[in-house]
Amino acid sequence: MAQKEHIIRAASEMFATYGIKAVRMDDIAHELGVSKRTLYELFGDKEELLYEAMMELFASKRAAHMAIASQAENLLEAMFMVLNKTMEEAPVHERLIENLRKFYPKVFERLKSVGVEENNRSLLRLIEQGIREGFFVEWMNCELTMAIFCGVARSLKGEKGNLNIPSQISEREAFIQMITTLFRGIATAKGCELIDSYAARYRKSNI
């Protein structure tokens, strides 16, 4: 089991660094000093290794985001910190997703199904926590808020709606403005004050 986990972690790093299509089973075997036969005995084929490697990669990203959030003073600051980190990671993440969609559609669909469910659970927990802590209004429909949030993200990426961002606005700036607008729409007076403060910080810092 230890060997399998080691291979999964190493493969996830190779896929993220060099690209999914570029990394062959031969490359992974050579990098780890194992036989290609061992890889096939453990995973069956590249698609299964790819699936488990991507699951490992996404889990490690979630753990890193949780570590970042733990440094925040409150929920709203944690959300801005994590969203900022997500935007920093977006180029690599989008490249991986596009390669999965294009070259390994079955793996993409498996990951999408699991990812959507996990993201929805995480977002729902955050919204409910925000309500309990007095940052978000109690009367909102949490499921509708989640749907709007996901729609905003898809529109920004052009998956649906093909949002046309003005040429002088970066994708990062657009994302911050759109998310700030959404947060303010569900925020209490207490929440709005903090949201405006954090939004101004991330617009100016560009970090």
Side-chain angles (χ1 to χ4, degrees), residues 3-171:
Q3 182 187 36
K4 185 174 183 179
E5 291 174 354
H6 175 64
I7 292 171
I8 291 171
R9 282 193 292 269
S12 70
E13 294 175 2
M14 292 179 68
F15 288 134
T17 302
Y18 303 111
I20 291 171
K21 187 67 173 177
V23 177
R24 304 168 302 166
M25 295 291 268
D26 285 317
D27 299 320
I28 297 171
H30 181 266
E31 178 71 18
L32 297 177
V34 300
S35 68
K36 192 160 68 169
R37 178 179 177 179
T38 296
L39 295 182
Y40 283 106
E41 287 176 347
L42 289 171
F43 301 100
D45 55 27
K46 180 182 177 179
E47 290 201 359
E48 186 58 31
L49 173 54
L50 176 59
Y51 173 77
E52 297 199 36
M54 290 299 98
M55 288 290 287
E56 165 65 24
L57 180 64
F58 297 153
S60 68
K61 294 296 183 186
R62 286 194 296 271
H65 291 171
M66 289 179 65
I68 291 171
S70 69
Q71 303 171 25
E73 294 183 359
N74 56 62
L75 172 71
L76 289 175
E77 184 179 24
M79 294 178 78
F80 271 97
M81 291 171 71
V82 170
L83 288 170
N84 186 67
K85 184 63 176 177
T86 300
M87 287 302 293
E88 290 179 356
E89 298 168 344
V92 172
H93 180 78
E94 290 166 16
R95 174 170 55 82
L96 288 172
I97 294 300
E98 183 55 33
N99 275 281
L100 284 168
R101 191 201 313 268
K102 184 175 181 180
F103 300 112
Y104 299 94
K106 292 182 180 179
V107 177
F108 171 77
E109 290 300 328
R110 288 175 68 190
L111 290 168
K112 181 179 178 181
S113 176
V114 174
V116 167
E117 291 180 4
E118 180 61 34
N119 289 340
N120 285 347
R121 284 194 296 268
S122 298
L123 182 56
L124 181 59
R125 286 194 295 267
L126 290 174
I127 293 171
E128 291 175 340
Q129 182 181 344
I131 293 174
R132 289 195 302 272
E133 296 181 3
F135 296 124
F136 298 146
V137 295
E138 296 181 356
W139 50 260
M140 72 164 148
N141 183 296
C142 293
E143 292 185 359
L144 177 59
T145 299
M146 289 168 54
I148 295 171
F149 187 96
C150 293
V152 165
R154 286 196 299 267
S155 294
L156 185 62
K157 297 303 179 185
E159 293 181 25
K160 290 185 178 180
N162 294 319
L163 181 69
N164 292 317
I165 301 173
S167 58
Q168 71 275 20
I169 303 295
S170 70
E171 187 174 283

